[in-house]
């Protein structure tokens, strides 16, 4: 009770604190970009963001009867890149169109269009309500509750998303059989070749020892991009391929919405006000959806942000959670009004972005990270450029089979690194390998040293159950509720698992998502206590100071 | 001159010596088969022999206008298994239809049918002449000249054969596009899935650490067989596959020749005598082909035999080269008369056979080899069983796409172990890996320690040139001459490379095919000298002894 009261009392403190600590670095965020790493990082993150985005565009296009398409996804990604690049407190966090938001978008479509609710105004209201909730969360310092979310939810979420990617890859291939048999099989062939090249180049770069390390790095960083480019060209190699009809990524006119029907005759700007456009009842029906979406973004965006500033990276500039979540609320509202799928923090792109900016010494030790705003902003601007005629035509050449292959590559590489998969793999590993082979990865050695293996198996089984439950709900009519299942298991991990698994065993399996350092930054109540103590020592009054925060001349800046 | 005279003088000594040393073990060759390893080894070698054989049957069927087909290949393999299992001096050496003989068979077909020469009588004459040459070689003790053949020829031959396998895999897939586009792409899809499963199971078993070692061993030994079985069933899984026309392995009536046209109205027995069947000129035209074939078998069979009794295997029973080559001559002649492709020693099946019979201790050390005649004989008998109606129908269910996948798997696993490929791979490896990583394979460390790397590159380039030259000739009208190219490079390796590369550097790159122990066994001249010395010491006469050899009561037995 006391905490709630305090939080309310110190309304906006989290945002204030984020701005106060980050603003002094704003100029250096541009000055520091004069570094060679910025160029490859920009190219890398541009493609790493663009390619899944177009795969999601294909997916939503198929499943919303062309309500959302490539133009909306590009616009949303571009907007997010530029806004978060320039104005966020943590510009390392890449923001864009994610897998979960595309699932959310088309499941809402499947749910509400049969009952006659107009899609765009309804999505707009979901996003507007969600914006309100975002603002409440940010202003009320409620990001501190991120502590409730443990590694369990993050790991299961990653596991779930990768299973969904496999499903999407299969769905795209299945669609190709609707053209004709040859198109279907040719697509499967291209998709398999994509997997061999894409996963192969990552294995080649990471596990084999050909060429110098920097050449292998090129394979890891650009192997997938080059596979997409190669197989887009491949279908024009002639021979039997010339006789084969292959569906490509559907594109429409540049800079205008994909859907040009009567319900979007007015272009980008959605006519969302009730009356002619949507019934008042539907406006309020949007609230439960907005709650689910808000939880999804709360979880997905903040975890992305945490992951891109994990303690393995030697960052020096401060974190920013409340201000960034406020900004996310604003972009969500804007996305609603423009009829776009709302962007949020991207996993794994956000941590990959930080990784691509690390400066190493000769022995591979991480020395520093080029913390700046240019890479994120420029990749957003480049995505915007993709919407223009020549580039849009180029994107329109990409066969859908390549996008299917891309989903499989994302899933395979994602599952390979996922802790749930690695725990399952552990169950089948030979003991003598873990005990005697120095090349055995640490993750399995750590599991092997657990004092009570029984709870490890129970915990892994719970993870699999949670992952399968999340996936299963996406197959039902209630698919849109998947963030609810996510929330349910987050609560389970916090309050139910400790009833099943003894605390000391559970602590070895589950844990905080955030590092201690960042947790402190998040914990507004303690923060305020500390500041208050400092101020009291100086005979000052913290409440007074709170009202001074907007003038930017606070002594604490 | 003296050697030739001596060799002539001691005519049949090699054969005599083989029989003399091996015959005493004949009974134990059956008694020793009461060992558990014999059962998995029989199953393993049966499939390892059968599957490539049917792939070659498909290949010859396509390229000889159905003159040769599955029945001929099965008959030839079965015959070879039983004859060599029961009567050879080295029953570990698996004999069957090889890739080179199928290339030889169809290139002869392509060359002689346009000029009106009847195929079966002509092949029969090639084989009959070749039988004569085989007998001359065996009786004249000329296997000793195997010493001329160095590792260069063996390595290049393996490299060449694997390139041919890739070509064959592609050709089979290309043929499927003649059915229709869907059939073509579906075949490519199945072939790619076969590669992923087949190569995957070998990688899984050899390099990963799941399950107990014996389970992984099952993946290595039966992964490819299970892939063939699975994908043969796969095409009946329904869905779009039911709508797809997929060509399967062509089979004909059981126990009768594939070709039932007017030139083979008389069944298995070929009417080869000149006059009505073939012109006298063509009978003599067969001689140059027979010489090429004899060289091919001389090389391929003896190297197979050497490889299956390499020094890495702790064998205790003696080797037998001259007697086995005589037997090979007889089976070659018989194959000619029955209108079959002639069988000869199989690489890699022969060494894989020995490997499957090794008894290991708990630490994986090779203790002994179950040297016996049962595995080879039974696999031959099982192959004969495959010719009977129910099994032939089952073989006829195998999609050609699966055979294509099989060719690719053979090529990939073959190239992976080939020294030429590994030398090429060395050129691209990072130095620090070879120098510092203990997991770096010894083959690369050995190369890295060569004093003069320049000659290594020259030698590797020569190997690549020789391999490409052998492959290139198979693409021309003169394809049948490929054993000639093989012979040419064998001479080059012996007499030309030493003019280019300094002897001490060459010795580190090239070497004897056979182990010292076996070389001694082969070297009849020295053998005789030694025996003579022994005899002289006993006041006896070697020439007298030579005439006693047939009575089997020689005091030396």
């Amino acid at each position: 009770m006391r905490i709630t009261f305090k939080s309310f009392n110190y309304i906006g403190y989290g945002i204030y604190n984020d701005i106060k600590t980050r603003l002094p670095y704003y100029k250096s965020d541009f000055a520091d970009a004069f570094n060679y790493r910025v160029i490859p990082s920009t190219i890398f993150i541009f493609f790493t963001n663009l390619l899944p985005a177009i795969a999601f565009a294909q997916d939503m296009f198929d499943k919303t009867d062309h309500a959302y398409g490539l133009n909306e996804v590009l616009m949303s990604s571009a907007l997010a890149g530029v806004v978060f690049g320039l104005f966020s407190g943590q510009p390392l966090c890449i923001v864009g169109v994610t897998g979960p938001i595309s699932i959310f978008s088309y499941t809402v479509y499947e749910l509400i269009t049969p009952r006659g609710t107009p899609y765009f105004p309804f999505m707009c209201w979901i996003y507007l309500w969600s914006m309100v909730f975002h603002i409440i969360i940010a202003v009320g310092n409620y990001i501190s509750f991120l502590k409730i979310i443990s590694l369990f939810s993050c790991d299961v979420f990653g596991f779930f998303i990768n299973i969904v990617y496999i499903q999407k890859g299969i769905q795209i291939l299945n669609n190709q059989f609707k053209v004709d048999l040859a198109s279907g099989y040719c697509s499967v062939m291209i998709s398999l070749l994509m997997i061999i090249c894409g996963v192969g180049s990552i294995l080649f770069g990471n596990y084999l020892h050909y060429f110098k390390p920097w050449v292998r790095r090129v394979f890891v960083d650009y192997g997938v991009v080059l596979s997409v480019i190669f197989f887009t060209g491949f279908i024009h190699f002639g021979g039997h391929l010339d006789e084969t009809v292959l569906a490509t990524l559907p594109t429409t006119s540049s800079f205008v919405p994909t859907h040009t029907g009567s319900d979007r005759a007015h272009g980008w700007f959605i006519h969302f006000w009730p009356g002619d456009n949507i019934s008042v009842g539907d406006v309020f029906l949007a609230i439960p959806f907005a709650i689910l979406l808000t939880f999804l973004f709360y979880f997905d965006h903040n975890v992305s942000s945490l992951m891109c500033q994990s303690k393995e990276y030697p960052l020096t500039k401060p974190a920013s959670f409340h201000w960034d979540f406020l900004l996310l609320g604003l972009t969500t509202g804007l996305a609603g009004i423009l009829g776009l799928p709302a962007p949020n923090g991207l996993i794994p792109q956000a941590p990959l972005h930080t990784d691509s900016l690390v400066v190493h010494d000769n022995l591979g030790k991480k020395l520093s990270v080029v913390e700046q705003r240019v890479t994120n902003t420029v990749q957003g601007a480049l995505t915007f450029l993709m919407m223009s005629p020549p580039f849009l035509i180029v994107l329109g050449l990409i066969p859908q089979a390549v996008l299917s292959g891309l989903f499989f590559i994302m899933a395979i590489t994602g599952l390979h690194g996922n802790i749930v998969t690695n725990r399952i793999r552990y169950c089948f590993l030979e003991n003598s390998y873990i005990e005697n082979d120095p090349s055995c990865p640490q993750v399995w050695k750590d599991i092997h040293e657990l004092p009570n293996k029984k709870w490890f198996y129970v915990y892994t089984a719970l993870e699999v159950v949670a992952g399968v439950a999340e996936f299963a709900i996406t197959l039902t009519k209630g698919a849109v509720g998947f963030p609810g299942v996510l929330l349910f298991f987050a609560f389970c991990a916090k309050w139910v698992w400790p009833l099943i698994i003894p605390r000391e065993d559970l602590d070895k399996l589950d844990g905080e998502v955030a590092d201690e350092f960042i947790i402190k930054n998040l914990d507004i109540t303690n923060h305020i206590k500390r500041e208050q103590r400092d101020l009291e020592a100086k005979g000052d009054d913290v409440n007074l100071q709170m009202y001074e925060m907007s003038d930017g001349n606070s002594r604490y800046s």
Side-chain angles (χ1 to χ4, degrees), chain A:
Chain A
M1 290 302 272
R2 202 163 149 255
I3 291 169
T4 320
F5 171 75
K6 279 220 161 190
S7 296
F8 182 76
N9 216 3
Y10 302 123
I11 194 164
Y13 181 81
I15 297 170
Y16 158 75
N17 190 53
D18 283 345
I19 296 176
K20 189 189 78 173
T21 55
R22 184 73 202 203
L23 202 58
Y25 294 93
Y26 198 80
K27 208 170 156 188
S28 79
D29 281 347
F30 291 95
D32 290 350
F34 284 94
N35 184 300
Y36 168 70
R37 288 252 27 101
V38 164
I39 296 164
S41 170
T42 305
I43 299 168
F44 169 72
I45 205 65
F46 165 66
F47 282 109
T48 315
N49 194 355
L50 179 72
L51 294 179
I54 59 180
F56 299 137
Q58 173 75 57
D59 192 38
M60 285 193 281
F61 184 80
D62 290 340
K63 294 192 176 153
T64 61
D65 294 331
H66 313 178
Y68 283 152
L70 185 59
N71 287 359
E72 283 75 17
V73 168
L74 291 177
M75 178 82 130
S76 176
S77 290
L79 189 79
V82 173
V83 168
F84 276 78
L86 294 179
F87 304 116
S88 76
Q90 183 45 277
L92 290 176
C93 183
I94 296 291
V95 179
V97 177
T98 64
I101 194 67
S102 49
I103 299 173
F104 183 85
S105 300
Y106 69 71
T107 54
V108 168
Y109 184 87
E110 285 162 6
L111 215 61
I112 59 109
T113 45
R115 62 189 296 284
T117 305
Y119 184 59
F120 290 110
F122 189 74
M123 282 303 287
C124 180
W125 275 106
I126 294 176
Y127 286 162
L128 289 175
W129 286 118
S130 184
M131 176 177 72
V132 173
F133 300 144
H134 274 72
I135 293 170
I136 292 171
I137 289 168
V139 171
N141 309 319
Y142 294 121
I143 310 286
S144 340
F145 289 119
L146 199 59
K147 281 189 296 177
I148 291 173
I149 296 169
S150 68
L151 282 174
F152 181 89
S153 305
C154 296
D155 298 341
V156 169
F157 186 67
F159 185 63
F160 153 73
I161 283 297
N162 287 311
I163 298 174
V164 171
Y165 286 173
I166 292 175
Q167 181 204 22
K168 294 206 174 305
I170 294 170
Q171 279 170 350
I172 292 179
L173 290 181
N174 211 32
N175 286 343
Q176 310 312 308
F177 280 95
K178 291 175 190 156
V179 181
D180 62 30
L181 270 185
S183 174
Y185 289 124
C186 184
S187 297
V188 178
M189 177 189 88
I190 292 172
S191 184
L192 286 171
L193 291 171
M194 271 283 291
I195 295 172
I196 293 171
C197 291
V199 176
S201 66
I202 293 167
L203 290 178
F204 180 90
N206 281 331
Y207 298 102
L208 301 185
H209 304 90
Y210 298 97
F211 307 112
K212 302 251 171 243
W214 72 265
V215 180
R216 294 205 298 270
R217 191 78 219 149
V218 170
F219 276 86
V220 175
D221 289 351
Y222 300 106
V224 178
V225 173
L226 292 174
S227 300
V228 170
I229 295 171
F230 176 81
F231 285 100
T232 300
F234 174 75
I235 65 165
H236 303 290
F237 276 14
H240 297 294
L241 287 163
D242 276 352
E243 303 155 31
T244 316
V245 182
L246 284 170
T248 56
L249 180 68
T251 56
T252 48
S253 304
S254 276
F255 299 119
V256 295
T258 302
H259 191 77
T260 48
S262 59
D263 52 336
R264 206 170 179 176
H266 33 73
W268 290 111
F269 184 68
I270 302 297
H271 293 191
F272 59 88
W273 45 93
D276 292 346
N277 307 293
I278 187 167
S279 71
V280 175
D282 285 343
V283 168
F284 288 95
L285 182 66
I287 292 180
F289 291 95
I291 293 171
L292 286 172
L293 181 80
T294 306
F295 174 68
L296 177 67
F297 276 20
Y298 183 85
F299 177 83
D300 203 11
H301 184 83
N302 287 310
V303 170
S304 303
S305 187
L306 283 171
M307 285 175 74
C308 77
Q309 40 196 324
S310 135
K311 65 181 156 195
E312 67 171 300
Y313 304 119
L315 300 181
T316 54
K317 297 182 182 178
S320 159
F321 286 90
H322 288 90
W323 162 248
D324 284 17
F325 203 67
L326 180 74
L327 200 60
L328 187 69
L330 299 177
T331 55
T332 303
L334 187 62
I337 291 171
L338 293 177
L340 311 174
N344 74 308
L346 281 163
I347 302 170
Q349 287 87 337
L352 285 175
H353 179 224
T354 310
D355 208 66
S356 70
L357 288 165
V358 172
V359 178
H360 297 91
D361 67 7
N362 285 338
L363 297 166
K365 196 169 163 282
K366 288 167 179 148
L367 292 180
S368 62
V369 175
V370 187
E371 294 180 69
Q372 39 67 46
R373 297 181 178 275
V374 172
T375 46
N376 200 344
T377 313
V378 171
Q379 69 88 17
L382 287 173
T383 306
F384 198 75
L385 196 65
M386 284 291 124
M387 292 183 71
S388 67
F391 294 104
L392 196 64
I393 290 166
V394 170
L395 289 183
L397 295 175
I398 299 176
Q400 297 188 5
V402 167
L403 301 181
S404 152
L406 197 60
F407 270 124
F408 288 123
I409 295 171
M410 291 197 295
I412 292 167
T413 52
L415 285 175
H416 181 73
N418 186 272
I419 183 75
V420 182
T421 330
N422 281 312
R423 283 179 172 148
I424 297 169
R425 288 166 76 187
Y426 169 82
C427 302
F428 298 98
L429 279 173
E430 202 191 0
N431 282 349
S432 72
Y433 164 65
I434 303 169
E435 284 158 12
N436 305 325
D437 196 324
S439 70
C440 173
Q442 194 57 38
V443 55
W444 292 323
K445 290 188 178 170
D446 290 345
I447 297 172
H448 204 65
E449 281 160 16
L450 289 175
N452 196 339
K453 219 71 92 0
K454 174 185 152 197
W455 297 117
F456 161 76
Y457 292 114
V458 170
Y459 185 79
T460 304
L462 288 170
E463 285 187 310
V464 173
V465 167
V468 170
E470 281 172 29
F471 178 66
I473 197 176
T474 66
L475 302 175
T476 67
K477 276 273 171 193
V480 75
F482 80 91
V485 179
L486 199 61
L487 187 61
F488 170 76
F489 281 108
F491 285 132
C492 285
K494 182 77 183 172
W495 287 292
V496 183
W497 299 171
L499 304 178
I500 303 172
I501 303 173
R503 172 53 64 188
E504 67 177 320
D505 291 292
L506 188 59
D507 282 348
K508 291 194 174 71
L509 295 162
D510 201 358
E512 303 276 12
V513 173
D515 297 328
E516 219 175 307
F517 172 76
I518 289 175
I519 290 286
K520 270 192 194 144
N521 173 302
L522 276 176
D523 197 343
I524 297 301
T525 319
N526 283 328
H527 223 266
I528 290 169
K529 271 190 196 153
R530 204 168 55 244
E531 291 234 344
Q532 207 162 14
R533 205 170 50 232
D534 293 354
L535 289 168
E536 276 162 7
K538 294 177 183 177
D540 210 336
D541 178 25
V542 72
N543 283 323
L544 180 68
Q545 200 270 328
M546 288 308 293
Y547 293 101
E548 281 171 4
M549 74 178 183
S550 55
D551 69 13
N553 282 322
S554 156
R555 73 197 72 177
Y556 303 105
S557 66

